Amino acid sequence: MNFSAQCHNESFDIYVIDDDRVTLKLIESLLSKDNFCADTFLDSKEAWLALEKQKTPAVIFLDWSMPVLDGIKLTKLIKSRSEHFYSYLIMITSHATIENTVEAFDAGVDDFLEKPVVPELLRCRMKSAERFMQRELELIVEQNYLSLHASQMESLVQEQAKQLVDADRMVTLGTMSAGIAHEINNPTAFISGNVQNLETYWEYLEPQLRSLPPDEITDKEKFDFVMEGAPKAIAGIQKGVERISKIVKSLKTYSHVKGNKQERCNIEKLIQDSLELSKTNMRKDITILVELEDQLPEPAGDFLKLEQVIVNILVNASHAMEDVKEPVLKVAARAMEQGVTIDIQDNGPGIPDKMLSRLWTPFFTTKEVGKGTGLGLYICRNIVEEHDGKISASNTDEGGACFTIKLPVSEESQIEPLTDHGEEK
């Protein structure tokens, strides 16, 4: 159909089907005078082929007597299409007997127009059809709105149900984490106490062993190896115990949403300690670049929790560069207005755009089954937000990913004096 700016029926189609060319042109002309545009058909079969493709509501004028498909058969075909938009059917006939009228209405006809066509009656029929179609269009809009609203409500219910499941899993995880932390603490305390005793024993034994005459040493090579290696072994055990203690403290953050400990966090130490903790979970050939501004602001917060965030992102970045021949990890920190910004950037493949917004969703992970829980970034975001900060992820122009952490610095924050996490200046 060719619509013009003057057409009144942009929202619905008009078809005129009549094998009488004079009647066809007359109706088309009369409709045109009232600024209605119509498609016309002399062949009812051709008209049906066009109607089969019709996807909008329509007003259809159709002649009763036509070869191949008469008006009644065509009406029944139109009404049989359940997926079809509603069509308002006006039967054109010169035989409007009571029997014909009943048969036509039973088939699905909505109105009649008698031949010869009277312009005033055609105009009345068209106005009636237009009012009906207007209401039909309103119902379609309303139905679409209700369908959309129902779909949105269903999605909302599903999302809320999922959040309840996730919340339940988080509670379970928190309970398990607290229990695991408690169980690990006991043997860790035992190891820590014994290694302190071992260090004391070594302080007593070392000078006596070194004072032994050379002729009393049966294997000088092994003796030198023990004398050099024992202090390193003791120091290694102590460092391992310290790391286990930090991991236990990190586990406790899973079972406690808020941390009460506030201290002034030295950003340089925070980054250096995080890199040290991450090394065993990172590729040995990664080039690490650290760019820190001088005299960085020191935000108030929980040092261990912020360390957990940095470690998690560093390890994720390392995993993202598994297939990169020359992996480079860049950590930068700079002062911003009333705060500090930390950027952790890798040269891996980056993050697919469709996944960027889902990174912070609980239990969402891009890793293979068994290689990730999908909780790391979710917990990271919660920790950063506990510190009134923001964390975001983006892709760099070079193709890698960059995680940005912004932490505010407030002079009004209640900060404890120096702790073992800070550095005296």
Side-chain angles (χ1 to χ4, degrees):
M1 183 187 301
N2 296 321
F3 291 111
S4 66
Q6 290 75 33
C7 283
H8 286 172
N9 55 301
E10 281 86 353
S11 300
F12 58 90
D13 296 333
I14 299 177
Y15 296 89
V16 182
I17 308 166
D18 198 313
D19 62 343
D20 178 50
R21 188 179 299 275
V22 175
T23 302
L24 194 70
K25 290 299 181 182
L26 175 62
I27 294 176
E28 181 184 21
S29 176
L30 293 173
L31 289 172
S32 178
K33 288 181 180 180
D34 288 331
N35 298 324
F36 289 108
C37 299
D39 279 340
T40 58
F41 297 90
L42 283 166
D43 188 320
S44 58
K45 188 174 181 180
E46 181 183 346
W48 169 240
L49 294 175
L51 289 170
E52 279 190 307
K53 300 176 183 178
Q54 179 214 346
K55 298 297 181 183
T56 57
V59 175
I60 303 174
F61 292 86
L62 68 164
D63 188 20
W64 184 301
S65 300
M66 293 183 291
V68 185
L69 284 175
D70 62 26
I72 296 297
K73 291 180 180 178
L74 189 54
T75 295
K76 290 179 178 179
L77 284 173
I78 293 171
K79 293 298 181 179
S80 68
R81 293 186 60 200
S82 58
E83 77 278 9
H84 201 284
F85 282 104
Y86 189 86
S87 295
Y88 190 89
L89 303 181
I90 303 175
M91 183 71 78
I92 309 169
T93 180
S94 57
H95 307 287
T97 64
I98 294 176
E99 291 78 7
N100 289 344
T101 302
V102 171
E103 182 183 2
F105 277 119
D106 285 343
V109 167
D110 297 286
D111 204 348
F112 274 88
L113 183 64
E114 293 187 19
K115 293 182 180 181
V117 175
V118 178
E120 290 77 7
L121 291 178
L122 173 63
R123 185 174 291 110
C124 290
R125 298 294 190 272
M126 193 59 221
K127 284 183 179 180
S128 177
E130 189 177 20
R131 286 194 301 269
F132 186 93
M133 296 308 294
Q134 184 60 41
R135 180 52 185 157
E136 179 68 17
L137 292 169
E138 290 173 359
L139 290 173
I140 291 172
V141 171
E142 185 177 350
Q143 183 179 8
N144 290 340
Y145 170 78
L146 291 174
S147 297
L148 177 61
H149 186 65
S151 177
Q152 290 174 339
M153 289 298 293
E154 182 179 0
S155 299
L156 181 60
V157 169
Q158 291 176 349
E159 181 63 26
Q160 288 180 337
K162 182 178 179 297
Q163 289 176 1
L164 288 174
V165 173
D166 291 343
D168 183 64
R169 293 169 73 182
M170 288 298 295
V171 170
T172 302
L173 180 64
T175 303
M176 290 175 58
S177 299
I180 292 170
H182 177 73
E183 292 298 323
I184 293 176
N185 263 335
N186 292 331
T188 301
F190 176 78
I191 296 170
S192 179
N194 280 282
V195 77
Q196 289 177 17
N197 291 334
L198 185 59
E199 186 177 25
T200 302
Y201 299 157
W202 180 253
E203 290 175 356
Y204 171 75
L205 289 174
E206 183 181 20
Q208 299 189 47
L209 290 172
R210 291 193 181 281
S211 64
L212 288 173
D215 57 348
E216 293 186 15
I217 301 173
T218 57
D219 191 329
K220 184 67 166 60
E221 185 176 349
K222 287 184 179 180
F223 180 83
D224 292 340
F225 177 79
V226 171
M227 295 299 293
E228 182 181 351
K232 292 181 179 179
I234 293 171
I237 296 172
Q238 289 174 328
K239 189 174 182 180
V241 170
E242 290 176 3
R243 185 171 181 191
I244 291 172
S245 297
K246 287 186 176 182
I247 292 172
V248 169
K249 290 178 181 178
S250 296
L251 280 173
K252 289 181 178 179
T253 64
Y254 293 172
S255 55
H256 298 285
V257 177
K258 290 284 185 179
N260 297 321
K261 190 171 183 179
Q262 291 285 306
E263 57 187 324
R264 192 175 293 281
C265 299
N266 183 285
I267 296 299
E268 181 178 357
K269 179 170 176 57
L270 177 66
I271 291 174
Q272 295 296 350
D273 285 6
S274 299
L275 285 168
E276 185 65 27
L277 284 171
S278 306
K279 281 184 179 178
T280 55
N281 290 312
M282 295 170 63
R283 287 173 54 176
K284 306 301 181 184
D285 60 341
I286 289 181
T287 300
I288 299 175
L289 305 176
V290 181
E291 299 179 2
L292 307 177
E293 288 185 355
D294 295 332
Q295 298 181 339
L296 286 167
E298 296 184 345
D302 188 314
F303 189 95
L304 287 174
K305 284 189 174 184
L306 292 175
E307 185 181 64
Q308 177 187 348
V309 172
I310 305 297
V311 168
N312 190 290
I313 296 174
L314 289 172
V315 172
N316 281 351
S318 173
H319 293 167
M321 296 186 290
E322 286 181 352
D323 298 325
V324 178
K325 291 184 178 180
E326 297 181 358
V328 178
L329 183 60
K330 180 180 177 181
V331 184
R334 63 188 185 279
M336 65 176 187
E337 186 177 356
Q338 296 183 338
V340 62
T341 297
I342 302 171
D343 291 320
I344 301 173
Q345 179 179 332
D346 63 64
N347 65 336
I351 305 168
D353 292 339
K354 63 181 181 180
M355 295 183 180
L356 276 172
S357 61
R358 301 181 61 194
L359 288 177
W360 319 105
T361 303
F363 306 104
F364 172 78
T365 178
T366 59
K367 298 178 182 178
E368 296 177 9
V369 176
K371 291 189 176 181
T373 63
L375 286 170
L377 291 177
Y378 171 75
I379 294 171
C380 287
R381 185 187 64 176
N382 286 350
I383 291 174
V384 172
E385 290 179 352
E386 284 175 22
H387 291 75
D388 297 322
K390 294 182 179 180
I391 183 170
S392 60
S394 61
N395 289 313
T396 65
D397 294 337
E398 296 80 14
C402 181
F403 283 79
T404 300
I405 302 167
K406 295 183 178 181
L407 298 170
V409 175
S410 174
E411 295 180 359
E412 292 77 17
S413 299
Q414 294 181 356
I415 304 173
E416 291 182 359
L418 294 174
T419 71
D420 58 337
H421 299 301
E423 286 184 342
E424 296 193 22
K425 294 185 178 181

